[in-house]
Amino acid sequence: MALGSAHSALTLDRGDACAPRSRGEDRITPPLAFTPALRREMEPLYERVKHVVTPMEWVHYAPIIKAINELKRERNAVILAHNYMTPEIFHCVGDFRGDSLQLAKEAARTEASVIVQAGVHFMAETSKLLNPDKTVLIPDPLAGCSLAASITPEDVRALRVAYPGVPIVTYVNTSAAVKAECDICCTSSNAVKIVESLGAPRVLLIPDEYLAKYVQTKTKVEIIAWKGHCEVHERFTGEEMEAMRAAEPGLKIIAHPECPPDVINAADFTGSTAAMIDWVKTKRPPKVVLVTECSMASNVAAETPDVEFVRPCNLCPHMKRISLEKIYEALLYNRYEVTVDPTVAEKARRAVERMVEASV
Ligand code: 13P
Ligand code: SF4
């Protein structure tokens, strides 16, 4: 589903500003200056990112980080930060950090009144499904996902007709309207478990073809795939992996299951973003490449200065729409609120809740 497409069941409330906007709509006035006192106060947070954020960058980030953390307290808000956020967001304003499954579980548990999703739109929708009475904000409503855009509810209904009686598992990277047509959700960290939990000989696993192919290598259940791809991970190639291995003796290659099969075949380990991080933190390889979105290596590097990261990584243009400034404005102006049509939400929520229950 493309944002704003005819299939979209969501509406984006662009929110009236809680405070009047100053001149220059798209520019915010820095809420605080980088004084010596502020520098000292923010020192503990800088400690967290000093290996990956330069002192010059910190002069720009520190005032807005302080302003965001104050606004969070005032508004009883939490920020759910995906592993692909940049380090100043991930380590300095994120209250909960993790992969899609971890963030969905935190969204289900939180007592906060406002959830700011530092991630892409389908993640914010998932948080809204699990918190229908809370305000869920996405700092940039155009933060989409090529996988979510690759399939519509009509496509899923056509699959039901083409494969009668075959359960449909949807990767969480889909719109609420697509989830509403499916039996259960999965993420990259629980896909095998979810597929096997259904007790069926054949399962449709949509929309990521490569995740489906990867799951097929781990289960005897017959997997039927859709042709969706992640625009970030599909660009990696097996030849690229072999070239890196040849150039970097001792290199460990860690891949996300959204990568093509030849990349996964060349990898030492494959797992969700959280599983990739755990692998690096536990094994502490001297040299590693995380075959996934760029920012994740920076986030792990901030905590593992002893590990050298080789970085032929790709940026996700959707994740990179989220910035400190937009998070600040989201909290200040209560925008952009994510809403889901109640009829769609009820069905989609069932698919997400089934996943959360099956993956405890
Ligand atoms: P994870 O569930 O592994 O965090 O993946 C989400 C995603 O969008 C990867 O591209
Ligand atoms: Fe979607 Fe790929 Fe970006 Fe993840 S990295 S949000 S799957 S486009």
Side-chain angles (χ1 to χ4, degrees), residues 52-80:
V52 290
V53 170
T54 65
M56 287 288 276
E57 288 169 325
W58 190 243
V59 170
H60 169 69
Y61 295 150
I64 194 153
I65 288 169
K66 179 173 159 67
I68 289 171
N69 288 333
E70 281 174 1
L71 268 178
K72 275 194 313 197
R73 280 190 289 276
E74 275 169 38
R75 299 213 52 204
N76 186 25
V78 288
I79 296 181
L80 304 184

Side-chain angles (χ1 to χ4, degrees), residues 84 120 122 144-147 173 230-233 258 316 318-319:
Y84 292 165
V120 291
F122 74 81
C145 168
S146 67
L147 279 171
N173 297 40
C230 162
E231 68 187 87
V232 177
H233 291 90
E258 289 169 12
C316 171
H318 311 290
M319 291 279 182

